Amino acid sequence: MDKNSITDFTPEAVIIDAGSFPVNPIALNWLDDCDRIVCCDGAANRFIAAGRRPWRIVGDCDSLSPEIMRDYSGIVRRNPDQETNDQTKSVHYLADKGIGRIAILGATGIREDHTIGNISLLPDYLSLGVDARAYTDYGVFIPADGDREFHCAAGTEVSIFNFGATGMSATGLRYPIRDFTTWWQGTLNVTTGSTFTIRARGRYLVFINYPPEYSFQSV
């Protein structure tokens, strides 16, 4: 079977943020395939109301309902640090347990400011030895550092966001890339084959759109 950077990823844990809960099967598959489901604070309210049980609830607990705080106290891990958001608290919690492959759901939607914050943090987690990818209803955000090859079908739409990398170049993309200075400059590229490679010194973020058969409209 051909490799695919969207689906060929086996997370050791799944983090549920408080954004729009996905309905796309690619994103939802991680919930069925992983036993370690970590809800970020108030995201547990919705998750539990849907009939699911998280493995852990992590955050400052300012959004967690009193009933869930009481009934699920055994799996709540409160972290009062106000210098990090609940997603980052959850990533640190897992990293401290040696868990390095994480799928994040619900990082986008509802609050645009939270969306930007959650997505912009993904490259930072590489410093912890963590590969944390955010899956949405439309595609996946993959953080990278240095040279990296990605696998997906020819004609796939991708975007590259620079986080201070230099010497950026690529093969397998329709349009050349460079050391982008603003986020919009690397958007709306297209793959020309089954792989594309980015070469760079430093960190960047790649967004790969799902293939048409998994598009949001078809769900």
Side-chain angles (χ1 to χ4, degrees), residues 145-175:
D145 190 342
D147 298 350
R148 182 79 173 269
E149 183 179 66
F150 301 87
H151 299 256
C152 55
T156 299
E157 297 177 335
V158 302
S159 294
I160 299 99
F161 304 93
N162 191 12
F163 282 75
T166 59
M168 297 189 76
S169 65
T171 56
L173 295 178
R174 180 179 298 172
Y175 307 112

Side-chain angles (χ1 to χ4, degrees), residues 96-114:
D96 288 345
K97 293 185 173 300
I99 296 172
R101 295 192 309 277
I102 302 170
I104 300 176
L105 308 181
T108 63
I110 300 180
R111 286 282 301 268
E112 285 82 2
D113 50 349
H114 287 181

Side-chain angles (χ1 to χ4, degrees), residues 59-72:
D60 56 15
C61 298
D62 63 343
S63 308
L64 197 61
S65 75
E67 294 77 18
I68 291 178
M69 186 71 178
R70 179 193 66 230
D71 296 342
Y72 292 83

Side-chain angles (χ1 to χ4, degrees), residues 119-127 132 143-144 161 163 203-205:
I119 296 304
S120 70
L121 284 163
L122 296 178
D124 289 353
Y125 302 147
L126 294 172
S127 298
F161 304 93
F163 282 75
R203 296 175 187 167
Y204 52 94
L205 188 64

Side-chain angles (χ1 to χ4, degrees), residues 68-88:
I68 291 178
M69 186 71 178
R70 179 193 66 230
D71 296 342
Y72 292 83
S73 60
I75 61 171
V76 173
R77 300 295 182 266
R78 184 173 182 272
N79 182 340
D81 183 9
Q82 294 301 305
E83 296 303 316
T84 59
N85 68 357
D86 290 328
Q87 175 183 281
T88 301

Side-chain angles (χ1 to χ4, degrees), residues 49-63:
R52 296 179 178 269
R53 179 183 175 87
W55 174 64
R56 294 288 186 270
I57 300 170
V58 178
D60 56 15
C61 298
D62 63 343
S63 308

